[in-house]
Amino acid sequence: MLLSTVMIISREVFEAATLISLLLALAFLNKNSRSWIVFGIALGLFGATVFALNLNQISKFWDYRGQELIVALLYLSIFILLTLLTQLYLRRGCGIESKNKRTLDRLLAALIALSLIREVGEIVVYFMSYTGSEAKTSSLLLGSIMGLAIGSSIALIAFFLLIRTSTKISYRVIRLWLAVIAGVVLMKSATLLSQIDLLPNTKPLWDSSNFLSEASISGQILAALIGYESQPTAVQICALLVGVTTIITIQQRGRGKAPSPAFDARKR
Amino acid sequence: MPNLCGYFHVIPMALGLLLSSADCAASEYLLEIRNHLFFPEKIYLPANKKIRLVIINHDATAEEFESRSLNREKIIPANSRSIIFIGPLNKGTYDFFGEFNPNTAVGEIIVE
């Protein structure tokens, strides 16, 4: 039980922490308000609890399609907010003016909250299943601490690297990684809609599981970072490409003016 | 000359719709969860067919049905049922497991 708890917690935390670490780095680089970040985390935890407590009712909705619908909408919302974030603040040559910082605060808080709902919701459901027995509770607690530490470690390293590197490089990495994450969340949304037959189910285009299995540690890390699938379908690949190219297209449609001082606030 | 640069992300979307095909009729198969075990452990399915998998969880705790080879993942609440569409699949063996109880809840889908 300890080992399965560590695996579940570390995986879910890692998936959420990947995006959150980028958003926190963006907030840090632009000296955004920390209180909004705390609000986003609190809202995400609350939303996750509501999701977990009502999962039974959600799952029964529309001939047992409700769970996938809600989670697909969550992912789509994340994608829409990422495009908005890119449009307002991450286009080439654009700067973050002080009057827009409040909007950025709210955008970051919303993204953090949405990122937490699904992943933490699953953790809450798992906890609800095993509370009661003292032996199981201690395994749950210890496994959760270990899982949280493992799951957040890579994201923390990424965060500190981003805030310690030159601002120019940090923004390039953030832009690229957000484009990948946008593609991944759209791909996940498409996968869920295929699961309930709202998008076509097709055969996989290729099978790279012999080369890199999703069950391996490397495969799971790549799955969380870049949405690696060993047997992707055409719908998944198209969703990924649409997501990535949408963000990159918006990024490239810069206004062409010089970056504002906020971009170069930390000179190295 | 219209600026088409902002629209090239529509191309993969259109390709996806053109490449995808769906068999409207889906055969239904039953999978049950009891005492953190899947019944049956092995499911035999026909190749190249869309399948509607009905999963009934008889346990008092939730289970998460997961299959990396099938790209499927869903939490099945306690004492409830759910559905997952899979396929069309090529011939072969596809593993699935219960993520909340990976040591006991394991199974295979064998496509012939």
Side-chain angles (χ1 to χ4, degrees):
Chain A
M1 172 145 207
L2 175 65
L3 186 58
S4 53
T5 302
V6 172
M7 295 296 293
I8 291 168
I9 303 296
S10 60
R11 202 183 87 155
E12 302 306 326
V13 167
F14 186 51
E15 288 184 11
T18 306
L19 175 58
I20 291 174
S21 66
L22 290 187
L23 299 174
L24 288 179
L26 192 59
F28 186 90
L29 290 171
N30 291 285
K31 296 182 172 43
N32 282 85
S33 163
R34 289 194 181 105
S35 56
W36 276 102
I37 293 168
V38 172
F39 175 72
I41 293 172
L43 189 62
L45 295 178
F46 174 73
T49 307
V50 170
F51 174 77
L53 290 175
N54 293 284
L55 187 61
N56 213 347
Q57 284 69 38
I58 291 170
S59 294
K60 288 176 185 169
F61 175 68
W62 193 23
D63 193 23
Y64 301 99
R65 290 177 163 95
Q67 191 183 140
E68 288 91 335
L69 264 179
I70 294 293
V71 179
L73 282 173
L74 277 173
Y75 286 136
L76 278 171
S77 303
I78 292 173
F79 175 72
I80 291 168
L81 288 179
L82 285 175
T83 59
L84 196 58
L85 177 71
T86 306
Q87 171 70 21
L88 292 176
Y89 302 109
L90 292 174
R91 284 186 292 158
R92 185 169 53 88
C94 291
I96 298 179
E97 298 159 4
S98 58
K99 65 180 180 184
N100 288 331
K101 276 200 176 182
R102 197 172 289 179
T103 306
L104 180 60
D105 286 339
R106 292 183 177 123
L107 210 46
L108 294 177
L111 277 165
I112 288 171
L114 289 172
S115 304
L116 287 173
I117 289 174
R118 163 64 178 85
E119 317 302 346
V120 177
E122 182 175 329
I123 293 173
V124 174
V125 171
Y126 179 67
F127 278 3
M128 281 163 53
S129 298
Y130 291 104
T131 50
S133 155
E134 194 176 315
K136 287 183 177 173
T137 303
S138 61
S139 291
L140 267 180
L141 195 57
L142 182 59
S144 302
I145 294 169
M146 293 169 65
L148 184 63
I150 295 168
S152 56
S153 57
I154 296 180
L156 277 172
I157 292 170
F159 170 74
F160 282 111
L161 282 174
L162 283 170
I163 65 172
R164 298 241 173 241
T165 316
S166 79
T167 312
K168 194 174 174 181
I169 293 175
S170 298
Y171 271 96
R172 279 190 184 161
V173 171
I174 288 173
R175 283 194 185 95
L176 180 62
W177 205 343
L178 280 181
V180 172
I181 289 175
V184 169
V185 294
L186 209 56
M187 184 176 73
K188 284 183 179 180
S189 185
T191 304
L192 287 167
L193 295 177
S194 296
Q195 188 165 296
I196 54 173
D197 208 26
L198 284 186
L199 281 179
N201 279 289
T202 58
K203 290 186 182 181
L205 292 177
W206 65 75
D207 182 358
S208 58
S209 55
N210 288 334
F211 173 68
L212 180 62
S213 168
E214 284 176 64
S216 65
I217 303 284
S218 313
Q220 289 187 52
I221 291 174
L222 279 180
L225 282 176
I226 60 170
Y228 170 73
E229 295 274 354
S230 61
Q231 299 180 59
T233 62
V235 170
Q236 286 177 302
I237 294 295
C238 284
L240 179 70
L241 290 175
V242 166
V244 173
T245 53
T246 301
I247 297 296
I248 290 178
T249 304
I250 297 171
Q251 285 173 0
Q252 293 305 310
R253 291 172 74 182
R255 286 177 289 182
K257 70 179 186 185
S260 76
F263 259 55
D264 296 311
R266 295 183 69 251
K267 297 229 183 259
R268 290 278 172 195
Chain B
M1 175 92 176
N3 182 6
L4 298 176
C5 293
Y7 298 97
F8 72 84
H9 59 273
V10 175
I11 296 171
M13 193 192 301
L15 277 175
L17 289 173
L18 284 172
L19 287 171
S20 62
S21 62
D23 177 9
C24 296
S27 305
E28 192 166 290
Y29 286 80
L30 180 64
L31 180 67
E32 293 178 277
I33 302 170
R34 281 199 197 91
N35 299 319
H36 311 311
L37 295 166
F38 284 116
F39 293 96
E41 267 186 16
K42 295 187 182 189
I43 301 175
Y44 293 87
L45 300 179
N48 305 315
K49 292 281 182 190
K50 188 165 69 176
I51 305 295
R52 178 183 156 115
L53 192 64
V54 178
I55 306 173
I56 301 177
N57 184 5
H58 296 284
D59 289 344
T61 56
E63 182 58 85
E64 183 173 16
F65 174 91
E66 184 163 345
S67 173
R68 296 192 179 106
S69 52
L70 294 171
N71 288 319
R72 293 292 182 261
E73 184 179 350
K74 186 167 187 173
I75 300 172
I76 317 296
N79 295 311
S80 71
R81 62 190 294 160
S82 200
I83 60 159
I84 292 177
F85 285 88
I86 57 176
L89 298 170
N90 291 325
K91 289 183 184 178
T93 303
Y94 303 83
D95 297 334
F96 60 86
F97 60 96
E99 194 181 11
F100 292 0
N101 297 279
N103 295 327
T104 56
V106 289
E108 283 181 334
I109 289 176
I110 299 165
V111 180
E112 302 172 317

